Amino acid sequence: MNHLTIINMKRRISESLGGRGNGALFMERRASGSIEAYYRYTYEKRDCLIKIGKYKQSKNGAGYSLAECRSKAAELATLRRECGGDLKAYLEEQAIARRQQEREKQRQETLAAQQGTLSDLCNSYIGSLKRKGKKSSYQVEKSLKLYVLTPFPELASAKARDITVEDVVNIIRRMIEAGITTTSNRLRSYLHAAFVYGMKADNDPLEQVTHGKRFYIQVNPVAAVPRQASFERVRERFLGHDEIRELWFGFSDALPNRSPVYLLLLRFMLATVGTRPEQLVQCRWSDFNEDLRTFTFIERKGKSGRERRRVMPLTQRALDILQELKPISGDFEWPFCVTGKAPLRTSSLGNRIQEYCIAKEEADEAEEKRERFTPKDIRRTATNLLIESRVPREQRFLLQSREDGSIESKHYDHSDRLPEKREALKRYDALLGKVLKGEEAKLVDLEEYRQATSNEQA
């Protein structure tokens, strides 16, 4: 067989590949005039053809040359001897296997694209906190970015399921070496919660719709890293009577260029037995009922994160503070608001308190410096005043929206005990009044206080 015999053939022509059973190179002319090359062999007494491709009939034509066709036919003959059976069936099986491998490869690539990184995990966890209205979401986001994602870009881009215990140790060790102690425990808690979230999110349809990532976390790597108990210090700071009076009457003098809303918020916190500032700043004017002398807020504190509606009584002192606020923020949506666009940020309140503490330190250089305080210490101060007022523990928990562990506190709304709260609040407010007047803070005569307040309201 040569080129001339092939292009001049009428229908078919073949050439043995030598050796018995090796098969032959087979050429066939189509009705269109093109010539197709095949490898032909016999299996179980029947001829089998495997297409090689189009034969190249001219120098510039498309297809395989005779030499190329012979080479490919020889390769197929060798492969047939190696597979020891039906070559065509073998090649079909190989093609099926390749298609399956390709599909599996594509599936793995899709899974890899869906598989979340540590950065994806942190961001998804933060998003979950924000959707639940968790006030801690800002601090969690700030800490994870500052101590994990920014200083460890390689870990941030690694798959969340590949993060090891050693990786977590390195993150926290870096903080401890920099002298960051208590916050390192907080970060450990945030990371631990993020991995717990990731393990559950894979099976949560809502989370899948929200971020579309899967994490495939089998083990929480943070669980094996211990919390450093020695880094924790329980704060016991509360304001003494003199400090309460100084804060109430001297805050504006110490910070004359700051909005009076900050002082009024601090006063309102004290007047309402230390209600948390993050709850107060979210209250709208519509949440205050001056006729019923109550205000309502949403409590999200606790592990469950469940929203609970709280109704609290208002004393005349608290109502007077609201009256002072009306000329400042009465046209805004929120009483405790400076710009009118959003409620006051609790971080701003903390900053103002620190400025006040610094101003007091500078003014009292000759005196012994007092420990600075924070917004949380105002609540602790109110708790201390409740105790001084001889308010029983159960009523203290009611007033400060605390869970006392009882079945009632877990399953019933505290608002249905409003008269009980009013009685306890009167005792507290009487003592607060004496503190602000600089009078001797002895045990309050509740009957005397009731008569005095009823006369005022009349």
Side-chain angles (χ1 to χ4, degrees), residues 185-200:
N185 276 345
R186 302 291 178 272
L187 182 79
R188 180 200 170 278
S189 298
Y190 301 155
L191 274 176
H192 186 277
F195 276 94
V196 170
Y197 157 83
M199 295 171 79
K200 295 180 179 179

Side-chain angles (χ1 to χ4, degrees), residues 63-117:
Y64 295 111
S65 66
L66 179 57
E68 289 172 330
C69 290
R70 284 170 172 163
S71 176
K72 290 186 175 297
E75 290 174 4
L76 291 171
T78 301
L79 183 59
R80 177 170 172 260
R81 288 195 300 271
E82 291 174 353
C83 73
D86 187 357
L87 177 60
K88 191 170 187 178
Y90 172 78
L91 292 176
E92 289 174 352
E93 290 173 0
Q94 291 296 303
I96 292 172
R98 283 194 298 273
R99 288 194 295 271
Q100 290 175 339
Q101 289 175 356
E102 185 61 30
R103 285 195 295 269
E104 178 61 20
K105 181 182 177 181
Q106 291 176 354
R107 189 181 75 84
Q108 292 295 335
E109 289 175 352
T110 301
L111 289 176
Q114 292 176 343
Q115 193 174 130
T117 63

Side-chain angles (χ1 to χ4, degrees), residues 25-260:
L25 173 61
F26 179 77
M27 300 287 188
E28 183 178 41
R29 186 183 296 278
R30 296 290 180 86
S32 63
S34 64
I35 299 172
E36 298 291 340
Y38 297 87
Y39 168 64
R40 186 178 67 184
Y41 67 97
T42 301
Y43 179 74
E44 294 183 349
K45 297 182 179 180
R46 61 184 175 85
D47 284 342
C48 301
L49 295 177
I50 297 176
K51 187 173 180 179
I52 294 174
K54 185 177 181 180
Y55 179 70
K56 186 177 182 179
Q57 298 187 52
S58 63
K59 183 178 180 180
N60 296 322
Y64 295 111
S65 66
L66 179 57
E68 289 172 330
C69 290
R70 284 170 172 163
S71 176
K72 290 186 175 297
E75 290 174 4
L76 291 171
T78 301
L79 183 59
R80 177 170 172 260
R81 288 195 300 271
E82 291 174 353
C83 73
D86 187 357
L87 177 60
K88 191 170 187 178
Y90 172 78
L91 292 176
E92 289 174 352
E93 290 173 0
Q94 291 296 303
I96 292 172
R98 283 194 298 273
R99 288 194 295 271
Q100 290 175 339
Q101 289 175 356
E102 185 61 30
R103 285 195 295 269
E104 178 61 20
K105 181 182 177 181
Q106 291 176 354
R107 189 181 75 84
Q108 292 295 335
E109 289 175 352
T110 301
L111 289 176
Q114 292 176 343
Q115 193 174 130
T117 63
L118 178 60
S119 179
D120 292 329
L121 175 65
C122 292
N123 291 330
S124 297
Y125 172 58
I126 293 163
S128 175
L129 293 178
K130 290 180 177 179
R131 289 192 298 276
K132 294 176 182 177
K134 290 289 188 178
K135 60 184 179 63
S136 62
S137 61
Y138 171 76
Q139 186 59 46
V140 173
E141 182 176 21
K142 180 180 177 181
S143 296
L144 290 174
K145 183 178 181 181
L146 181 61
Y147 299 118
V148 181
L149 302 181
T150 300
F152 295 95
E154 299 85 0
L155 291 182
S157 60
K159 301 301 183 185
R161 65 175 298 174
D162 296 331
I163 300 300
T164 65
V165 175
E166 185 178 358
D167 293 330
V168 178
V169 170
N170 289 336
I171 291 170
I172 296 177
R173 184 177 63 193
R174 177 180 178 274
M175 297 177 68
I176 296 174
E177 289 174 346
I180 305 168
T181 55
T182 305
T183 304
S184 70
N185 276 345
R186 302 291 178 272
L187 182 79
R188 180 200 170 278
S189 298
Y190 301 155
L191 274 176
H192 186 277
F195 276 94
V196 170
Y197 157 83
M199 295 171 79
K200 295 180 179 179
D202 283 355
N203 301 312
D204 188 332
L206 177 60
E207 293 296 336
Q208 289 300 305
V209 170
T210 303
H211 56 73
K213 295 290 183 181
R214 296 181 71 87
F215 301 105
Y216 304 103
I217 300 167
Q218 300 299 315
V219 178
N220 190 331
V222 188
V225 180
R227 170 181 171 274
Q228 303 302 317
S230 61
F231 291 165
E232 297 296 333
R233 182 173 69 89
V234 178
R235 280 187 67 85
E236 298 178 353
R237 175 77 165 101
F238 62 87
L239 277 65
H241 292 182
D242 290 343
E243 291 179 287
I244 295 172
R245 190 164 52 254
E246 289 172 4
L247 177 66
W248 192 280
F249 296 110
F251 187 88
S252 293
D253 293 336
L255 303 176
N257 296 323
R258 294 300 185 184
S259 169

Side-chain angles (χ1 to χ4, degrees), residues 357-370:
C357 291
I358 293 170
K360 289 292 293 180
E361 290 171 2
E362 292 174 349
D364 302 334
E365 282 187 23
E367 299 180 16
E368 183 179 350
K369 289 186 178 180
R370 294 169 175 169

